[in-house]
Amino acid sequence: MATLTPTGSQVHDLLAQRRLPWWNTAAVAAISVAIAGLFALTTPISGTAGTAVTALLTFMVVQTAVSTAVEGRRYAVDRLATTLLVGALVAALIPLVSILLTVLLRGLHALDPSFLTSTMRNVSPRKPGGGIVHALIGTIEQVAIAAAIGIPLGILAAIYLVEFGNRSRLARTVSFFVDVMTGIPSIVAGLFVYTALVLTVGLERSGFVGGVALSILMIPVVVRSTEEMLRLVPRDLREASYALSVPKYLTVLRVVLPAASTGIITGSMLAVARVTGETAPLLLTTFLTQSINANPFSGPQASLPTFVWDQIGSGTTASVDRAWAGALTLIVLVMILNIGARGIARLSRVK
Amino acid sequence: MAKRIDVLHLNVYYGAFLAVEGVNLAIEPKAVTAFIGPSGCGKSTVLRTLNRMHEVTPGARIEGKVLLDSQDIYAPEVDPVNVRSTIGMVFQKPNPFPTMSIYGNVVAGIRLKRRTRKSELDDVVEASLRGANLWEEVKDRLDRPGSVLSGGQQQRLCIARAIAIEPQVLLMDEPCSALDPISTLAIEELIYELKQQYTIVIVTHNMQQAARVSDTTAFFNIAGTGKPGRLIEMDETKTIFSQPAEKATEDYISGRFG
Ligand SMILES: Nc1ncnc2c1ncn2[C@@H]1O[C@H](COP(=O)(O)OP(=O)(O)OP(=O)(O)O)[C@@H](O)[C@H]1O
Ligand SMILES: [Mg+2]
């Protein structure tokens, strides 16, 4: 080894690179914050957001200058790009974290065991107490109905598009309308189902009608995610199956779908999670109620999002507290669904 | 049992592009026929028309006839699924089903199509894996996924899977091109054994391999990019490698190509 090591000066000339010391970033950050503070005191640019922006800009300028002088252009650009990326990440996380924190802090206030087990029946909006069990039951039933309709339809449509459509006119039309459906506002889906099932067919407003409205919002999400997963299955596998003289429908059922199942399950569960928080279509289709209605096929049914909407609408301290607690329950429910999706996906992959 | 294949005036198109033109050839039963030729000359294309696998490619179509023991496999009443149960295929890249175990891979062609008793399947698995020279290496871990095997083992698994459905003809598209010399040797020996029962067609870029394993060799060539590939000559392997009729064949075999 020793014979291979060149002399120190050679290393310096050929390969070594002068780098800034590790504490440089912290130092530059401190300087930037100080300068931004000075700015805040002496100029109209003040307030938290303004100061943060000034600090960030100062940081980028100072760091780029120092780095260019010491390390050269490539490292300076690298540091600048890193700063921008981390900055974007933090900017994207701020609203998310702040929402979660707010809901957590305000929601925990009214959340106690009785909140999860009682209804709002005979509870005055002004008084604390009451609970969400009726809404929880409603949401679970409505989402289950939506999933029972939306997931099979979506998966079947995607199978048609990828495996059998071959860019035929019908396939292109279906694909176009799936795109259109992705874009419809949720209240329009609610209005459509209300018009179709309640006004035209004559069903009464119920959890089922709400579930249908939610399923309309789910379908495009399921179709698109399933389509993507099916297209990811390599041609090799299909060919291997055909070469074993397996007919096409069995190839799709036994080879392609299992290979894509992880992604399809995840996509479907994300679609479920997405519609769990929908409010507008449910207001039109399930209406509101303060007590348990476990039958989704008859009469108004509560749900978590409409519960939150209703409680906020009452506007008293007690009802707003309940709204926050309801929102927290909703977020936890969606999280459980997401984690469940990952768990199922992992289980099916191990096999 | 093993069947012969006759190809008559075969043209193959990908959309409007004529990839292969005017191929006539006869593939003898219980023998190994090798397809050689430069890249892009249409060896895989011709091979895939022999069991209608090209139909999986959108826009691919053929003109001409392919006869399996004098029955036209492109006749309107013929079901491609039946063709492929008679003429099996092994691909260049080993492609075991990732969601299935070794056992499941071997019986895939059977179990995907009909319910079969477990004991019957067990017999098929052992016979096919023995047939593919893989039994000893995997018999203790049949329930592991096929992807845990080495590349050479995976390729032999694919061969086992192909022979499990008892085809009469086996098509192999460069089955050894991703394998080391030892696995290659194993597969060549296997081909030699399989020849006792099956008609085998193998595409290879390896001249020595063609010379070693095949009885008949077909040389394909292409006049230039965008031109269709053609069958230049086909003869006993001995003859092709010692005194080919065509100058192009001699040039290709001796490496004086182009
Ligand atoms: N799916 C396809 N779509 C369009 N053209 C194709 C397709 N597959 C092959 N071709 C064309 O057909 C011609 C023959 O291709 P083929 O794959 O049969 O060659 P090959 O002799 O097997 O070559 P190689 O030795 O490189 O595998 C080539 O010009 C190729 O570009
Ligand atoms: Mg090829």
Side-chain angles (χ1 to χ4, degrees):
Chain A
M1 283 307 285
T3 54
L4 287 177
T5 313
T7 64
S9 72
Q10 270 172 321
V11 168
H12 191 267
D13 292 345
L14 287 173
L15 305 167
Q17 162 71 44
R18 244 168 11 124
R19 300 299 311 266
L20 287 168
W22 61 269
W23 44 263
N24 172 70
T25 310
V28 175
I31 293 171
S32 311
V33 171
I35 292 178
L38 215 63
F39 251 74
L41 294 178
T42 54
T43 63
I45 311 172
S46 58
T48 323
T51 313
V53 170
T54 336
L56 185 65
L57 288 177
T58 322
F59 181 80
M60 291 195 300
V61 172
V62 174
Q63 195 188 43
T64 308
V66 173
S67 176
T68 313
V70 179
E71 301 176 307
R73 192 168 163 278
R74 185 161 63 90
Y75 283 100
V77 172
D78 178 51
R79 285 184 192 269
L80 185 62
T82 309
T83 309
L84 284 174
L85 289 177
V86 172
L89 177 72
V90 171
L93 280 179
I94 285 173
L96 200 69
V97 171
S98 118
I99 289 177
L100 278 179
L101 276 184
T102 316
V103 174
L104 203 63
L105 292 178
R106 303 201 59 168
L108 280 176
H109 190 54
L111 194 69
D112 53 34
S114 78
F115 185 73
L116 292 175
T117 52
S118 44
T119 70
M120 290 306 293
R121 199 182 157 100
N122 301 328
V123 177
S124 148
R126 260 178 257 286
K127 298 241 174 67
I132 50 159
V133 66
H134 59 307
L136 201 55
I137 291 172
T139 283
I140 289 172
E141 286 184 357
Q142 288 150 23
V143 169
I145 288 168
I149 301 173
I151 292 177
L153 274 183
I155 291 180
L156 289 173
I159 291 176
Y160 169 74
L161 288 179
V162 177
E163 305 291 335
F164 297 95
N166 283 333
R167 290 166 218 289
S168 64
R169 176 169 302 218
L170 176 61
R172 273 177 296 157
T173 316
V174 170
S175 196
F176 172 75
F177 280 108
V178 169
D179 276 341
V180 174
M181 274 173 81
T182 317
I184 44 172
S186 57
I187 189 145
V188 175
L191 262 177
F192 165 73
V193 170
Y194 177 70
T195 316
L197 292 187
V198 178
L199 296 186
T200 312
V201 177
L203 297 182
E204 61 178 325
R205 292 202 255 184
S206 64
F208 171 73
V209 179
V212 174
L214 293 184
S215 77
I216 288 184
L217 295 171
M218 278 181 72
I219 289 172
V221 184
V222 176
V223 173
R224 282 288 171 251
S225 63
T226 307
E227 232 186 311
E228 240 161 69
M229 290 306 136
L230 291 177
R231 287 194 204 284
L232 283 182
V233 176
R235 257 180 76 101
D236 285 9
L237 284 188
R238 296 187 172 87
E239 293 200 346
S241 177
Y242 295 141
L244 291 173
S245 78
V246 178
K248 183 160 184 173
Y249 78 98
L250 283 176
T251 301
V252 171
L253 277 180
R254 302 280 181 80
V255 175
V256 179
L257 280 180
S261 64
T262 308
I264 295 176
I265 294 171
T266 316
S268 303
M269 292 301 275
L270 289 180
V272 168
R274 201 197 146 244
V275 300
T276 306
E278 280 297 343
T279 322
L282 294 181
L283 287 174
L284 292 166
T285 50
T286 63
F287 210 50
L288 295 169
T289 169
Q290 308 299 348
S291 39
I292 290 180
N293 171 12
N295 181 356
F297 295 100
S298 132
Q301 203 178 33
S303 65
L304 287 175
T306 55
F307 171 88
V308 172
W309 182 85
D310 185 35
Q311 293 299 318
I312 285 280
S314 301
T316 68
T317 320
S319 71
V320 170
D321 277 350
R322 278 192 289 267
W324 282 105
L328 179 59
T329 319
L330 186 56
I331 288 182
V332 171
L333 185 68
V334 170
M335 272 186 180
I336 291 174
L337 284 175
N338 272 327
I339 294 169
R342 272 158 223 269
I344 295 174
R346 190 156 310 149
L347 278 184
S348 70
R349 190 166 34 209
V350 167
K351 188 193 74 165
Chain B
M1 181 61 196
K3 298 194 188 236
R4 64 175 293 117
I5 295 180
D6 292 281
V7 175
L8 304 174
H9 307 297
L10 181 75
N11 298 335
V12 190
Y13 296 83
Y14 289 107
F17 172 62
L18 177 59
V20 176
E21 189 178 30
V23 170
N24 289 292
L25 52 80
I27 293 163
E28 300 296 333
K30 296 199 181 183
V32 178
T33 304
F35 287 1
I36 60 170
S39 187
C41 67
K43 305 178 296 293
S44 301
T45 300
V46 171
L47 192 74
R48 288 164 66 89
T49 59
L50 300 184
N51 70 344
R52 298 183 66 164
M53 275 304 289
H54 74 285
E55 291 176 355
V56 177
T57 310
R61 67 194 163 83
I62 70 142
E63 289 162 2
K65 282 195 164 124
V66 177
L67 305 181
L68 181 71
D69 271 1
S70 78
Q71 194 196 1
D72 185 359
I73 65 169
Y74 286 93
E77 70 276 10
V78 169
D79 182 348
V81 169
N82 295 340
V83 172
R84 291 178 203 139
S85 69
T86 316
I87 309 180
M89 188 157 197
V90 174
F91 298 82
Q92 174 171 0
K93 226 177 84 204
N95 52 3
F97 298 118
T99 52
M100 298 179 197
S101 64
I102 294 174
Y103 186 102
N105 264 283
V106 177
V107 296
I110 303 167
R111 197 156 61 180
L112 288 184
K113 283 188 296 186
R114 60 185 161 82
R115 297 210 158 279
T116 318
R117 283 209 323 280
K118 177 87 168 72
S119 60
E120 198 179 319
L121 287 181
D122 289 347
D123 295 344
V124 171
V125 168
E126 179 165 353
S128 310
L129 286 173
R130 280 191 192 283
N133 276 331
L134 190 60
W135 176 250
E136 293 302 328
E137 286 157 73
V138 301
K139 64 180 176 195
D140 300 322
R141 44 176 176 161
L142 293 174
D143 55 343
R144 302 296 312 281
S147 46
V148 303
L149 300 177
S150 75
Q153 291 171 330
Q154 287 188 20
Q155 191 63 304
R156 278 178 283 152
L157 178 62
C158 292
I159 294 177
R161 182 173 71 179
I163 59 183
I165 58 170
E166 299 182 342
Q168 332 234 298
V169 181
L170 202 53
L171 309 177
M172 301 179 149
D173 194 350
E174 303 186 38
C176 303
S177 65
L179 305 184
D180 72 302
I182 295 174
S183 308
T184 302
L185 194 67
I187 288 184
E188 285 180 13
E189 278 168 5
L190 175 60
I191 291 173
Y192 191 80
E193 282 164 32
L194 292 175
K195 178 170 97 164
Q196 320 302 325
Q197 277 188 62
Y198 302 94
T199 305
I200 293 177
V201 186
I202 178 172
V203 173
T204 177
H205 277 292
N206 180 333
M207 295 305 137
Q208 289 82 18
Q209 183 169 62
R212 278 194 301 263
V213 301
S214 72
D215 304 292
T216 312
T217 297
F219 172 62
F220 291 80
N221 204 352
I222 185 170
T225 36
K227 302 257 174 53
R230 292 170 171 281
L231 175 64
I232 303 300
E233 71 171 299
M234 180 169 186
D235 210 328
E236 275 187 35
T237 301
K238 276 204 302 285
T239 318
I240 291 277
F241 281 91
S242 54
Q243 41 207 314
E246 299 288 330
K247 174 104 175 31
T249 317
E250 192 181 342
D251 286 352
Y252 182 74
I253 287 166
S254 56
R256 269 176 282 131
F257 180 62

